[in-house]
Amino acid sequence: MALIRKQVLSFLVTTSCNLACKYCYTNKYEGAHRNQTLDLDFAKAGIDDFFAQSTSRHIRFFGAGEPTTKFELMRNIYDYSYKKSGGSLTAEIQTNGIFSREIADWLAGNVDIIWISSDGPPKVQDRYRVTANGEPTSKILGENIRYLVKNPKDLVGIRSTITEETINMQKEIVDYFSSLGIAYIWSDPLFLEVGEKTDYKLFDYKLYADKYLEAREYAESLGIFYGTFLASNFDEEIDYYCRACLPLPHLTTDGYVSACDMALFGELKDSEKQMSPFIYGKWDKISGKIIYFTDKMEHLQSRKADNMPGCKGCSALKHCAGYCLGEVTNESGDMFGKKPQVCESIRYLLKAMRTDLKKYRYPYP
């Protein structure tokens, strides 16, 4: 469990994407970040360093864009990692699920954990997750999911963003993915775009928690796991919310080492400067080495449950540790700040959820 949850090397493969999701939190289409791709030599150096420092041999492919749009690069990274691991590699991907049968075959044969970003039935998928031309994606997504669940190496699961429009649809979302053969779903309430204060009205976390708990118990009756980021550490006591606090490397397309999925670039716009604490390394192409900033690493490691001034005395402290570091930092401007909208709902779920529902086979963050 600890291997999957925390000890992982992430590759932020590309900013290229075959979709134009309505609420995408990245700025991948802007300025210098447009059409950026991870440097293979940088990726290899990151693999060498990670394998030298950790016993983990777990890698992960992620955004800012859709990793499968750079399929050959992904395969090269996988092959190098596999060889360096001595054949003991495990791999994971976060994908939008819109890819060819050739790619589906490769994923089924090589990637152990496949998380597909999808928000629900076709009426939801085709509203929020469309192609750059605005075309619907639910048909090919459904076909790919059905194909992958018939040929799984280990797990095919769903990562679903819950919006104001789908708060009351969580049972329906469970039913839909169940009909496709999915047995593992993680949900995440919609959060603010990095560096941008949007016009989204305040998300009703209390309603989300109520409807989530109903859907969680309903899913369990169907033999399906339905998780939430609010409860992602309910299965154990923790000092750190996630791997960003350790930190674990995320190699960016512009040549930096980030600690967090939400800090996708090292070169930041003024409106994104609050995310700079997550950038703790830089690729030096001339020397072929990664330079790590130890002061940044130590600062991230200090973001522990007992060091959160606004969380002292909270009944959920040891199962929350200040909640999602990326969201808190982006929205408060302070790594040690709070996202107060979620606090009451986390405490409510921790108390209301049955103990057996807090056991996770595959924790998400």
Short mmCIF file of all heavy atoms in Angstrom, two decimals, residues 19-29 94 96 116-120 124-130 158-166 188-194 196 198 200 262:
data_model
loop_
_atom_site.label_atom_id
_atom_site.label_comp_id
_atom_site.label_asym_id
_atom_site.label_seq_id
_atom_site.Cartn_x
_atom_site.Cartn_y
_atom_site.Cartn_z
N LEU A 19 -7.89 16.53 -25.68
CA LEU A 19 -9.17 17.03 -25.17
C LEU A 19 -9.05 18.49 -24.75
O LEU A 19 -7.95 19.01 -24.58
CB LEU A 19 -9.64 16.20 -23.98
CG LEU A 19 -9.92 14.71 -24.20
CD1 LEU A 19 -10.60 14.12 -22.97
CD2 LEU A 19 -10.76 14.48 -25.44
N ALA A 20 -10.20 19.12 -24.57
CA ALA A 20 -10.28 20.49 -24.06
C ALA A 20 -11.32 20.50 -22.94
O ALA A 20 -12.42 21.02 -23.11
CB ALA A 20 -10.65 21.46 -25.17
N CYS A 21 -10.96 19.89 -21.81
CA CYS A 21 -11.91 19.76 -20.70
C CYS A 21 -12.30 21.14 -20.16
O CYS A 21 -11.45 22.03 -20.03
CB CYS A 21 -11.31 18.90 -19.60
SG CYS A 21 -10.93 17.21 -20.14
N LYS A 22 -13.56 21.30 -19.83
CA LYS A 22 -14.09 22.61 -19.48
C LYS A 22 -13.44 23.20 -18.24
O LYS A 22 -13.35 24.42 -18.11
CB LYS A 22 -15.61 22.51 -19.26
CG LYS A 22 -16.39 21.99 -20.45
CD LYS A 22 -16.32 22.93 -21.64
CE LYS A 22 -17.23 22.46 -22.77
NZ LYS A 22 -17.14 23.31 -23.97
N TYR A 23 -13.01 22.37 -17.29
CA TYR A 23 -12.52 22.89 -16.02
C TYR A 23 -11.03 22.57 -15.81
O TYR A 23 -10.55 22.56 -14.69
CB TYR A 23 -13.32 22.31 -14.85
CG TYR A 23 -13.44 20.81 -14.89
CD1 TYR A 23 -12.35 20.00 -14.64
CD2 TYR A 23 -14.66 20.20 -15.19
CE1 TYR A 23 -12.45 18.62 -14.69
CE2 TYR A 23 -14.78 18.83 -15.25
CZ TYR A 23 -13.67 18.05 -15.00
OH TYR A 23 -13.77 16.68 -15.05
N CYS A 24 -10.27 22.33 -16.87
CA CYS A 24 -8.87 21.96 -16.74
C CYS A 24 -8.12 22.99 -15.88
O CYS A 24 -8.24 24.20 -16.11
CB CYS A 24 -8.22 21.85 -18.11
SG CYS A 24 -6.50 21.33 -18.07
N TYR A 25 -7.34 22.51 -14.91
CA TYR A 25 -6.68 23.43 -13.98
C TYR A 25 -5.28 23.82 -14.43
O TYR A 25 -4.58 24.55 -13.74
CB TYR A 25 -6.61 22.81 -12.57
CG TYR A 25 -5.71 21.60 -12.43
CD1 TYR A 25 -4.34 21.74 -12.19
CD2 TYR A 25 -6.24 20.31 -12.51
CE1 TYR A 25 -3.53 20.63 -12.04
CE2 TYR A 25 -5.42 19.19 -12.36
CZ TYR A 25 -4.07 19.36 -12.12
OH TYR A 25 -3.26 18.26 -11.98
N THR A 26 -4.83 23.38 -15.60
CA THR A 26 -3.47 23.69 -16.04
C THR A 26 -3.49 24.86 -17.02
O THR A 26 -4.53 25.23 -17.58
CB THR A 26 -2.83 22.49 -16.76
OG1 THR A 26 -3.28 22.44 -18.11
CG2 THR A 26 -3.16 21.20 -16.06
N ASN A 27 -2.30 25.43 -17.27
CA ASN A 27 -2.16 26.46 -18.30
C ASN A 27 -1.36 25.91 -19.47
O ASN A 27 -0.57 26.62 -20.09
CB ASN A 27 -1.52 27.72 -17.72
CG ASN A 27 -0.07 27.49 -17.31
OD1 ASN A 27 0.44 26.38 -17.41
ND2 ASN A 27 0.59 28.54 -16.85
N LYS A 28 -1.57 24.66 -19.79
CA LYS A 28 -0.74 23.96 -20.77
C LYS A 28 -0.84 24.55 -22.18
O LYS A 28 0.02 24.29 -23.02
CB LYS A 28 -1.12 22.48 -20.81
CG LYS A 28 -2.57 22.18 -21.19
CD LYS A 28 -2.81 20.68 -21.16
CE LYS A 28 -4.25 20.32 -21.49
NZ LYS A 28 -5.15 20.63 -20.37
N TYR A 29 -1.87 25.34 -22.45
CA TYR A 29 -2.02 25.91 -23.79
C TYR A 29 -1.40 27.29 -23.92
O TYR A 29 -1.48 27.91 -24.97
CB TYR A 29 -3.51 26.00 -24.16
CG TYR A 29 -4.20 24.66 -24.20
CD1 TYR A 29 -5.25 24.38 -23.34
CD2 TYR A 29 -3.79 23.67 -25.09
CE1 TYR A 29 -5.89 23.15 -23.38
CE2 TYR A 29 -4.42 22.44 -25.12
CZ TYR A 29 -5.47 22.19 -24.28
OH TYR A 29 -6.10 20.97 -24.31
N GLN A 94 -2.28 8.06 -15.26
CA GLN A 94 -3.52 8.83 -15.20
C GLN A 94 -3.77 9.30 -16.62
O GLN A 94 -2.95 10.02 -17.21
CB GLN A 94 -3.36 10.03 -14.27
CG GLN A 94 -4.58 10.92 -14.21
CD GLN A 94 -5.58 10.45 -13.18
OE1 GLN A 94 -5.22 10.09 -12.08
NE2 GLN A 94 -6.86 10.46 -13.54
N ASN A 96 -6.88 10.28 -19.91
CA ASN A 96 -8.28 10.62 -20.19
C ASN A 96 -9.01 9.50 -20.91
O ASN A 96 -10.21 9.60 -21.17
CB ASN A 96 -8.37 11.94 -20.98
CG ASN A 96 -7.69 11.88 -22.34
OD1 ASN A 96 -7.63 10.84 -23.00
ND2 ASN A 96 -7.18 13.04 -22.78
N ILE A 116 -8.43 6.26 -15.12
CA ILE A 116 -9.03 6.98 -16.22
C ILE A 116 -9.86 8.13 -15.67
O ILE A 116 -10.73 7.93 -14.82
CB ILE A 116 -9.91 6.05 -17.08
CG1 ILE A 116 -9.05 4.96 -17.71
CG2 ILE A 116 -10.66 6.84 -18.15
CD1 ILE A 116 -9.83 3.90 -18.44
N SER A 117 -9.58 9.34 -16.15
CA SER A 117 -10.34 10.52 -15.73
C SER A 117 -11.64 10.57 -16.52
O SER A 117 -11.64 10.76 -17.74
CB SER A 117 -9.54 11.79 -15.98
OG SER A 117 -8.38 11.83 -15.18
N SER A 118 -12.73 10.40 -15.82
CA SER A 118 -14.05 10.47 -16.43
C SER A 118 -15.05 10.79 -15.34
O SER A 118 -14.91 10.31 -14.21
CB SER A 118 -14.41 9.14 -17.10
OG SER A 118 -15.73 9.17 -17.60
N ASP A 119 -16.04 11.60 -15.67
CA ASP A 119 -16.91 12.14 -14.62
C ASP A 119 -18.28 11.51 -14.52
O ASP A 119 -19.07 11.87 -13.65
CB ASP A 119 -17.03 13.66 -14.79
CG ASP A 119 -15.68 14.33 -14.72
OD1 ASP A 119 -14.77 13.75 -14.11
OD2 ASP A 119 -15.52 15.42 -15.29
N GLY A 120 -18.59 10.57 -15.41
CA GLY A 120 -19.88 9.92 -15.28
C GLY A 120 -20.49 9.53 -16.61
O GLY A 120 -19.79 9.36 -17.62
N VAL A 124 -22.79 13.60 -18.87
CA VAL A 124 -21.80 14.33 -18.08
C VAL A 124 -20.46 14.38 -18.82
O VAL A 124 -19.86 15.45 -18.98
CB VAL A 124 -21.62 13.68 -16.70
CG1 VAL A 124 -20.51 14.35 -15.92
CG2 VAL A 124 -22.93 13.71 -15.92
N GLN A 125 -19.99 13.24 -19.27
CA GLN A 125 -18.72 13.16 -20.00
C GLN A 125 -18.71 14.12 -21.17
O GLN A 125 -17.74 14.86 -21.39
CB GLN A 125 -18.50 11.72 -20.49
CG GLN A 125 -17.29 11.53 -21.37
CD GLN A 125 -15.96 11.53 -20.64
OE1 GLN A 125 -15.93 11.41 -19.42
NE2 GLN A 125 -14.87 11.68 -21.37
N ASP A 126 -19.79 14.15 -21.95
CA ASP A 126 -19.81 14.95 -23.17
C ASP A 126 -20.07 16.43 -22.90
O ASP A 126 -19.95 17.25 -23.82
CB ASP A 126 -20.86 14.40 -24.13
CG ASP A 126 -20.48 13.03 -24.67
OD1 ASP A 126 -19.28 12.70 -24.65
OD2 ASP A 126 -21.39 12.27 -25.08
N ARG A 127 -20.41 16.76 -21.69
CA ARG A 127 -20.54 18.16 -21.31
C ARG A 127 -19.18 18.74 -20.92
O ARG A 127 -18.84 19.87 -21.29
CB ARG A 127 -21.53 18.33 -20.16
CG ARG A 127 -21.65 19.76 -19.65
CD ARG A 127 -22.74 19.89 -18.60
NE ARG A 127 -22.77 21.20 -18.00
CZ ARG A 127 -23.29 22.28 -18.55
NH1 ARG A 127 -23.84 22.20 -19.75
NH2 ARG A 127 -23.29 23.44 -17.92
N TYR A 128 -18.41 17.99 -20.15
CA TYR A 128 -17.18 18.51 -19.58
C TYR A 128 -15.91 18.08 -20.30
O TYR A 128 -14.92 18.80 -20.29
CB TYR A 128 -17.07 18.08 -18.11
CG TYR A 128 -18.08 18.75 -17.22
CD1 TYR A 128 -19.17 18.04 -16.72
CD2 TYR A 128 -17.95 20.09 -16.88
CE1 TYR A 128 -20.11 18.66 -15.91
CE2 TYR A 128 -18.88 20.71 -16.06
CZ TYR A 128 -19.96 20.00 -15.58
OH TYR A 128 -20.90 20.60 -14.78
N ARG A 129 -15.91 16.90 -20.91
CA ARG A 129 -14.69 16.34 -21.49
C ARG A 129 -14.90 16.13 -22.98
O ARG A 129 -15.40 15.10 -23.42
CB ARG A 129 -14.31 15.04 -20.78
CG ARG A 129 -13.96 15.27 -19.30
CD ARG A 129 -13.60 13.97 -18.61
NE ARG A 129 -13.21 14.21 -17.24
CZ ARG A 129 -11.97 14.47 -16.82
NH1 ARG A 129 -10.99 14.52 -17.68
NH2 ARG A 129 -11.73 14.69 -15.54
N VAL A 130 -14.50 17.15 -23.75
CA VAL A 130 -14.72 17.14 -25.20
C VAL A 130 -13.38 17.30 -25.90
O VAL A 130 -12.37 17.68 -25.31
CB VAL A 130 -15.66 18.29 -25.62
CG1 VAL A 130 -17.05 18.08 -25.02
CG2 VAL A 130 -15.10 19.65 -25.21
N ILE A 158 -11.37 4.54 -12.02
CA ILE A 158 -11.86 5.84 -12.48
C ILE A 158 -11.50 6.91 -11.47
O ILE A 158 -11.62 6.71 -10.26
CB ILE A 158 -13.39 5.82 -12.67
CG1 ILE A 158 -13.78 4.86 -13.79
CG2 ILE A 158 -13.93 7.23 -12.94
CD1 ILE A 158 -13.34 5.28 -15.17
N ARG A 159 -11.07 8.07 -11.98
CA ARG A 159 -10.89 9.26 -11.17
C ARG A 159 -11.93 10.26 -11.67
O ARG A 159 -11.87 10.74 -12.79
CB ARG A 159 -9.47 9.79 -11.31
CG ARG A 159 -9.11 10.92 -10.36
CD ARG A 159 -9.50 12.22 -10.94
NE ARG A 159 -8.94 13.35 -10.22
CZ ARG A 159 -9.42 14.57 -10.33
NH1 ARG A 159 -10.46 14.82 -11.09
NH2 ARG A 159 -8.86 15.56 -9.66
N SER A 160 -12.93 10.56 -10.84
CA SER A 160 -14.08 11.35 -11.26
C SER A 160 -14.13 12.69 -10.53
O SER A 160 -14.09 12.74 -9.29
CB SER A 160 -15.37 10.56 -10.97
OG SER A 160 -16.51 11.31 -11.32
N THR A 161 -14.21 13.78 -11.28
CA THR A 161 -14.38 15.11 -10.68
C THR A 161 -15.86 15.37 -10.47
O THR A 161 -16.66 15.25 -11.40
CB THR A 161 -13.78 16.20 -11.60
OG1 THR A 161 -12.37 16.00 -11.69
CG2 THR A 161 -14.04 17.59 -11.02
N ILE A 162 -16.21 15.74 -9.24
CA ILE A 162 -17.61 16.03 -8.91
C ILE A 162 -17.82 17.55 -8.96
O ILE A 162 -17.12 18.31 -8.29
CB ILE A 162 -17.98 15.50 -7.52
CG1 ILE A 162 -17.72 13.99 -7.43
CG2 ILE A 162 -19.45 15.81 -7.21
CD1 ILE A 162 -18.52 13.14 -8.38
N THR A 163 -18.76 17.98 -9.76
CA THR A 163 -19.11 19.39 -9.88
C THR A 163 -20.43 19.65 -9.17
O THR A 163 -21.09 18.72 -8.68
CB THR A 163 -19.24 19.78 -11.36
OG1 THR A 163 -20.38 19.11 -11.92
CG2 THR A 163 -18.00 19.39 -12.14
N GLU A 164 -20.82 20.91 -9.16
CA GLU A 164 -22.11 21.25 -8.55
C GLU A 164 -23.26 20.52 -9.24
O GLU A 164 -24.26 20.18 -8.61
CB GLU A 164 -22.32 22.76 -8.62
CG GLU A 164 -21.36 23.54 -7.74
CD GLU A 164 -21.24 24.99 -8.16
OE1 GLU A 164 -21.85 25.36 -9.17
OE2 GLU A 164 -20.53 25.75 -7.48
N GLU A 165 -23.10 20.28 -10.52
CA GLU A 165 -24.16 19.63 -11.28
C GLU A 165 -24.24 18.13 -11.02
O GLU A 165 -25.26 17.51 -11.30
CB GLU A 165 -23.96 19.88 -12.77
CG GLU A 165 -24.10 21.34 -13.16
CD GLU A 165 -23.90 21.55 -14.64
OE1 GLU A 165 -24.39 20.71 -15.42
OE2 GLU A 165 -23.24 22.53 -15.01
N THR A 166 -23.15 17.53 -10.49
CA THR A 166 -23.16 16.08 -10.30
C THR A 166 -23.11 15.65 -8.83
O THR A 166 -23.04 14.46 -8.55
CB THR A 166 -21.97 15.44 -11.04
OG1 THR A 166 -20.74 16.01 -10.58
CG2 THR A 166 -22.09 15.64 -12.54
N ASP A 188 -13.32 13.37 -6.63
CA ASP A 188 -12.65 14.57 -6.13
C ASP A 188 -13.53 15.78 -6.41
O ASP A 188 -13.90 16.01 -7.56
CB ASP A 188 -11.30 14.73 -6.84
CG ASP A 188 -10.45 15.85 -6.25
OD1 ASP A 188 -10.73 16.29 -5.12
OD2 ASP A 188 -9.50 16.29 -6.92
N PRO A 189 -13.89 16.55 -5.38
CA PRO A 189 -14.65 17.77 -5.64
C PRO A 189 -13.86 18.74 -6.52
O PRO A 189 -12.64 18.84 -6.41
CB PRO A 189 -14.87 18.36 -4.24
CG PRO A 189 -14.67 17.23 -3.29
CD PRO A 189 -13.66 16.34 -3.94
N LEU A 190 -14.55 19.44 -7.39
CA LEU A 190 -13.93 20.42 -8.27
C LEU A 190 -13.15 21.45 -7.45
O LEU A 190 -13.63 21.96 -6.44
CB LEU A 190 -15.02 21.13 -9.07
CG LEU A 190 -14.56 22.17 -10.09
CD1 LEU A 190 -13.85 21.49 -11.24
CD2 LEU A 190 -15.76 22.96 -10.60
N PHE A 191 -11.91 21.75 -7.88
CA PHE A 191 -11.12 22.76 -7.18
C PHE A 191 -10.68 23.85 -8.15
O PHE A 191 -10.80 23.71 -9.37
CB PHE A 191 -9.90 22.13 -6.49
CG PHE A 191 -9.03 21.29 -7.38
CD1 PHE A 191 -8.06 21.87 -8.20
CD2 PHE A 191 -9.18 19.90 -7.41
CE1 PHE A 191 -7.25 21.09 -9.01
CE2 PHE A 191 -8.37 19.12 -8.22
CZ PHE A 191 -7.40 19.72 -9.03
N LEU A 192 -10.16 24.94 -7.61
CA LEU A 192 -9.82 26.10 -8.41
C LEU A 192 -8.63 25.84 -9.32
O LEU A 192 -7.68 25.15 -8.96
CB LEU A 192 -9.51 27.30 -7.51
CG LEU A 192 -10.68 27.89 -6.72
CD1 LEU A 192 -10.19 29.05 -5.88
CD2 LEU A 192 -11.79 28.36 -7.66
N GLU A 193 -8.66 26.45 -10.51
CA GLU A 193 -7.55 26.38 -11.44
C GLU A 193 -6.32 27.04 -10.82
O GLU A 193 -6.42 28.03 -10.09
CB GLU A 193 -7.95 27.10 -12.73
CG GLU A 193 -6.89 27.11 -13.80
CD GLU A 193 -7.36 27.85 -15.04
OE1 GLU A 193 -8.58 28.07 -15.17
OE2 GLU A 193 -6.50 28.19 -15.87
N VAL A 194 -5.15 26.49 -11.11
CA VAL A 194 -3.91 27.04 -10.57
C VAL A 194 -3.71 28.46 -11.09
O VAL A 194 -3.74 28.71 -12.30
CB VAL A 194 -2.70 26.18 -10.95
CG1 VAL A 194 -1.40 26.85 -10.50
CG2 VAL A 194 -2.82 24.80 -10.32
N GLU A 196 -5.59 31.04 -10.95
CA GLU A 196 -6.75 31.70 -11.53
C GLU A 196 -7.90 31.64 -10.55
O GLU A 196 -8.28 30.58 -10.07
CB GLU A 196 -7.15 31.00 -12.83
CG GLU A 196 -8.14 31.76 -13.68
CD GLU A 196 -7.51 32.85 -14.50
OE1 GLU A 196 -6.32 32.72 -14.86
OE2 GLU A 196 -8.20 33.83 -14.78
N THR A 198 -11.53 31.63 -10.33
CA THR A 198 -12.62 31.43 -11.28
C THR A 198 -13.92 31.98 -10.73
O THR A 198 -14.01 32.44 -9.60
CB THR A 198 -12.80 29.93 -11.57
OG1 THR A 198 -13.36 29.31 -10.41
CG2 THR A 198 -11.50 29.26 -11.91
N TYR A 200 -16.50 30.04 -10.32
CA TYR A 200 -17.27 28.97 -9.70
C TYR A 200 -17.79 29.43 -8.35
O TYR A 200 -17.04 29.96 -7.52
CB TYR A 200 -16.40 27.73 -9.48
CG TYR A 200 -15.96 27.05 -10.73
CD1 TYR A 200 -14.61 26.83 -10.97
CD2 TYR A 200 -16.87 26.61 -11.68
CE1 TYR A 200 -14.18 26.20 -12.13
CE2 TYR A 200 -16.46 25.98 -12.83
CZ TYR A 200 -15.11 25.78 -13.05
OH TYR A 200 -14.69 25.16 -14.20
N MET A 262 -0.16 19.49 -8.95
CA MET A 262 -0.70 20.81 -9.26
C MET A 262 0.39 21.82 -9.59
O MET A 262 0.09 22.91 -10.08
CB MET A 262 -1.57 21.32 -8.11
CG MET A 262 -2.86 20.55 -7.94
SD MET A 262 -3.94 21.24 -6.67
CE MET A 262 -4.37 22.84 -7.36
#
